[in-house]
Amino acid sequence: MSDFLPYGRQFIQDDDIAAVTEALKADYLTTGPTVAKFERAFADHVGAPDAVACSNGTAALHLAMMMLGIGEGDVCIVPSITFLATANCVRYCGGEVVFADVDSDSGLMTPQTLEDALKRAGKPVKAVLPVHMRGELCDMPALSQITERQGGRVVEDAAHAVGSRRTFGNQVVHAGDCRHSVMTTFSFHPVKTITTGEGGMITTSSTAVAAELRTLRSHGMVRHPGADPWLYEMDSPGYNYRLPDINCALGLSQLAKLDRLAVRRRELAAYYEQRIAPLAPLIWTAVTAPGSDPCLHLMTVLIDFKAAGTTRRAVVDGLTAAGIGSQVHYIPVHTQPYYRKRYGDLDLPGANAWYEACLSLPLYPQLEKSDIDRIVETLGGLLGIK
């Protein structure tokens, strides 16, 4: 049997290793000049005025909620199809989560599901956190307009979406450019399109917001120009959410090849769609909206397991036995015991339908088209498709 194909894998080359080695030989291992270089390069790449590096994607979300002043009783809207961190970061600050439903074929919050969540909130909403699932961008102009109309702020969770873009009318929106949000957060976990090992980033259109985020990521400490060199002040507590120079060196090297990695992911995703299309109606790829040009982090297919006379567990086990990894993204967060206890049982049919059908297949630059042939043929066999 061929080598096992995981659902995601980091892409590390000799130049990445050399960049980290050089950082290890430098004067700073953490809180050094490479951090600022990575921040500036990332901001320039996505088209944002400023960017702030931090220790991981969850820390980025938490810092964003702190920056907005989310506190006890403040309501924030989060789509139910996301990783736990998007909702948990609201709770870290004492805020309350109202879960929005998603489109069952894309996994995304939509203008209608946002409107429905706003009605259920029962009070003014302080923040809305759209999640660019898989790398597919939400309808940001519409979501932003709806949110701002009732006095809230938008923070985009783009953990999956570095390198993605979408055209609205004549405007091309890039993930992280913050044209329709106050902040956008990213993750550089190893299975993402680019990695820093662990790491995160917040982009923003406000230099004042960026300055405050840098204070919050480093214990809330402020050093004033001209003061004694050992002096610092803390007006309010922050966290140790800094990203070391070593990680930023890897990030800079990875960022330099982002465009090339995005091209490769788009090629592989297009080939997946070509190979999966004949397997309809039992299996189909997650929907891509008109005008969207995602750099997919996840290759998610939707499967009618009942019609195929099987279960997702049987398919996952069959793929594993054939040396093919898969994953489920995600279990609806509103069904987690903590949130059920806090908010009761919610009826979010889109999120439930997405969860019942979704399965993420291998997608990473080292994958070959012959690997995709093997994956799709194996999957078709497990579903009884000749």
Side-chain angles (χ1 to χ4, degrees):
M1 185 175 67
S2 303
D3 290 340
F4 188 83
L5 304 173
Y7 90 88
R9 172 181 281 165
Q10 65 268 27
F11 183 68
I12 301 296
Q13 297 180 299
D14 288 344
D15 57 345
D16 300 307
I17 296 169
V20 174
T21 300
E22 184 178 351
L24 286 168
K25 295 176 179 178
D27 292 334
Y28 293 90
L29 294 185
T30 189
T31 321
T34 312
V35 178
K37 290 179 183 177
F38 182 40
E39 291 174 337
R40 184 68 264 154
F42 190 86
D44 290 343
H45 198 98
V46 303
D50 212 337
V52 178
C54 53
S55 53
N56 52 62
T58 302
L61 286 163
H62 187 193
L63 288 170
M65 293 301 96
M66 292 175 67
M67 184 63 232
L68 290 186
I70 301 300
E72 292 295 330
D74 287 333
V75 175
C76 300
I77 293 179
V78 174
S80 185
I81 296 300
T82 184
F83 185 54
L84 299 169
T86 317
N88 288 353
C89 72
V90 176
R91 294 294 303 131
Y92 295 162
C93 297
E96 299 295 343
V97 178
V98 171
F99 288 105
D101 205 358
V102 300
D103 177 83
S104 61
D105 285 323
S106 70
L108 299 182
M109 178 195 289
T110 69
Q112 185 58 59
T113 64
L114 174 56
E115 293 274 20
D116 293 343
L118 287 168
K119 292 175 184 176
R120 286 189 284 107
K123 61 183 292 189
V125 169
K126 195 157 185 179
V128 173
L129 287 74
V131 176
H132 301 313
M133 263 292 296
R134 303 173 287 112
E136 175 80 11
L137 297 192
C138 298
D139 185 347
M140 289 311 304
L143 296 181
S144 177
Q145 185 178 48
I146 293 167
T147 302
E148 291 176 0
R149 188 175 67 218
Q150 59 88 60
R153 310 295 293 277
V154 175
V155 173
E156 301 172 67
D157 182 341
H160 293 185
V162 63
S164 291
R165 56 194 177 227
R166 183 173 172 182
T167 301
F168 300 95
N170 294 322
Q171 183 186 74
V172 179
V173 172
H174 294 261
D177 65 16
C178 294
R179 291 190 187 192
H180 301 286
S181 62
V182 64
M183 287 173 278
T184 304
T185 66
F186 292 89
S187 167
F188 304 129
H189 182 275
V191 296
K192 300 301 195 301
T193 300
I194 63 172
T195 185
T196 58
E198 278 282 8
M201 189 75 78
I202 308 165
T203 58
T204 177
S205 57
S206 168
T207 55
V209 167
E212 181 63 21
L213 287 168
R214 291 188 175 98
T215 298
L216 290 171
R217 78 174 173 193
S218 188
H219 303 282
M221 295 188 305
V222 177
R223 299 180 187 273
H224 297 289
D228 292 331
W230 63 86
L231 288 181
Y232 54 83
E233 294 179 343
M234 186 190 77
D235 291 327
S236 60
Y239 289 81
N240 183 359
Y241 280 167
R242 295 169 297 199
L243 187 64
D245 271 43
I246 304 168
N247 302 72
C248 289
L250 176 57
L252 274 168
S253 180
Q254 291 266 295
L255 185 64
K257 63 187 78 174
L258 173 55
D259 290 344
R260 177 162 53 90
L261 295 176
V263 167
R264 179 61 177 165
R265 284 180 175 268
R266 289 182 173 103
E267 289 175 351
L268 294 172
Y271 190 66
Y272 256 120
E273 291 179 2
Q274 176 187 327
R275 293 289 282 110
I276 288 170
L279 305 186
L282 288 184
I283 177 172
W284 62 101
T285 55
V287 167
T288 296
S292 183
D293 187 19
C295 172
L296 290 181
H297 157 54
L298 299 174
M299 189 65 228
T300 303
V301 295
L302 302 170
I303 301 171
D304 189 339
F305 294 102
K306 185 176 180 180
T310 187
T311 65
R312 180 163 52 199
R313 178 59 187 268
V315 170
V316 168
D317 287 348
L319 289 171
T320 302
I324 300 166
S326 61
Q327 189 52 270
V328 174
H329 297 94
Y330 290 101
I331 302 169
V333 185
H334 77 273
T335 67
Q336 292 295 336
Y338 172 85
Y339 288 109
R340 289 180 63 190
K341 183 177 179 180
R342 191 166 192 86
Y343 303 124
D345 292 324
L346 302 176
D347 181 22
L348 300 179
N352 293 335
W354 171 271
Y355 172 62
E356 290 301 321
C358 69
L359 189 67
S360 296
L361 302 176
L363 181 64
Y364 45 89
Q366 304 96 309
L367 208 63
E368 299 293 340
K369 289 184 177 179
S370 59
D371 295 322
I372 294 175
D373 290 335
R374 173 183 149 207
I375 292 164
V376 175
E377 288 166 8
T378 303
L379 183 58
L382 291 169
L383 296 174
I385 303 172
K386 304 299 182 182

